[in-house]
Amino acid sequence: MSHLQLAALKLKQHSDADLSFLTRLYITVRRDEFQAANWPETQLTQFLTQQFSAQYDYYCQHYCADSFNIIFYQSQPIGRLFVEYRHDDIRVVDISLLPEYRNKGIASYYFQQLFDQAKSSQRCVTIHVERNNPARHLYERLGFKFKSQTDDVYLLMQWQPDN
């Protein structure tokens, strides 16, 4: 898939029916991090499934899940965009895409929509990112700036509308 029509992208609020896809997406996104562990495939899949469940439960307990969406392209689920709309900011809780859909402008497309919403509502857009996550370079290219360090692993980045 070399050319992607962004107009064919759709967001749909997630439901319990999407948990199987969300689990598969999580495993696909995180699998490479555990290559060095050299675990048998069943052990790795079981571990990452448990990690997904813990993360998903945390997100649902600590964030408003009204805008936890599945990204569809031509009626196929290809990623997730979890957003929480707060008083002062629009928090991107998570954005993840299947590997074959990365580097095609999808994340930039959705961030631009969030930036437009932020401008019209006089808010900023924030996202936590792991210090060594390659997506951090995308966020910086889009205009996110370092705001604070959450812990030894995560940075809080912020995009501000031009005043």
Side-chain angles (χ1 to χ4, degrees):
M1 180 181 73
S2 59
H3 182 67
L4 183 104
Q5 294 190 347
L6 296 177
L9 293 168
K10 303 286 182 233
L11 292 179
K12 177 187 86 80
Q13 186 174 17
H14 88 289
S15 69
D16 288 347
D18 298 306
L19 290 177
S20 174
F21 167 73
L22 290 170
T23 303
R24 183 170 56 92
L25 174 65
Y26 183 88
I27 290 169
T28 302
V29 168
R30 300 291 309 271
R31 173 174 264 116
D32 289 346
E33 293 176 44
F34 293 91
Q35 289 291 347
N38 208 21
W39 290 349
E41 183 61 29
T42 54
Q43 183 181 359
L44 178 60
T45 300
Q46 182 180 11
F47 173 77
L48 290 174
T49 299
Q50 291 170 344
Q51 291 291 300
F52 166 76
S53 293
Q55 181 194 65
Y56 180 78
D57 289 346
Y58 178 86
Y59 285 174
C60 289
Q61 289 172 13
H62 292 90
Y63 297 100
C64 175
D66 291 349
S67 295
F68 283 11
N69 293 304
I70 306 299
I71 302 170
F72 283 85
Y73 180 68
Q74 297 179 339
S75 303
Q76 295 298 313
I78 64 163
R80 71 182 187 179
L81 176 60
F82 289 3
V83 177
E84 181 180 56
Y85 292 87
R86 299 166 3 156
H87 178 69
D88 291 332
D89 70 330
I90 298 172
R91 172 67 51 93
V92 178
V93 177
D94 190 271
I95 183 166
S96 300
L97 295 165
L98 291 171
E100 61 269 29
Y101 291 94
R102 295 181 197 150
N103 300 311
K104 303 209 178 288
I106 296 169
S108 297
Y109 172 77
Y110 282 113
F111 275 111
Q112 189 56 57
Q113 291 183 4
L114 294 171
F115 297 159
D116 291 345
Q117 293 170 18
K119 287 177 190 174
S120 67
S121 63
Q122 300 178 336
R123 291 185 272 187
C124 61
V125 179
T126 58
I127 188 168
H128 279 102
V129 62
E130 290 180 6
R131 179 181 306 280
N132 298 320
N133 186 332
R136 181 176 168 194
H137 300 293
L138 167 67
Y139 306 148
E140 289 169 345
R141 259 195 341 269
L142 291 172
F144 281 90
K145 305 280 188 236
F146 170 81
K147 182 174 181 185
S148 64
Q149 185 169 326
T150 307
D151 53 31
D152 289 341
V153 178
Y154 289 97
L155 306 174
L156 179 62
M157 299 185 77
Q158 177 176 284
W159 178 90
Q160 282 281 121
D162 294 332
N163 292 333

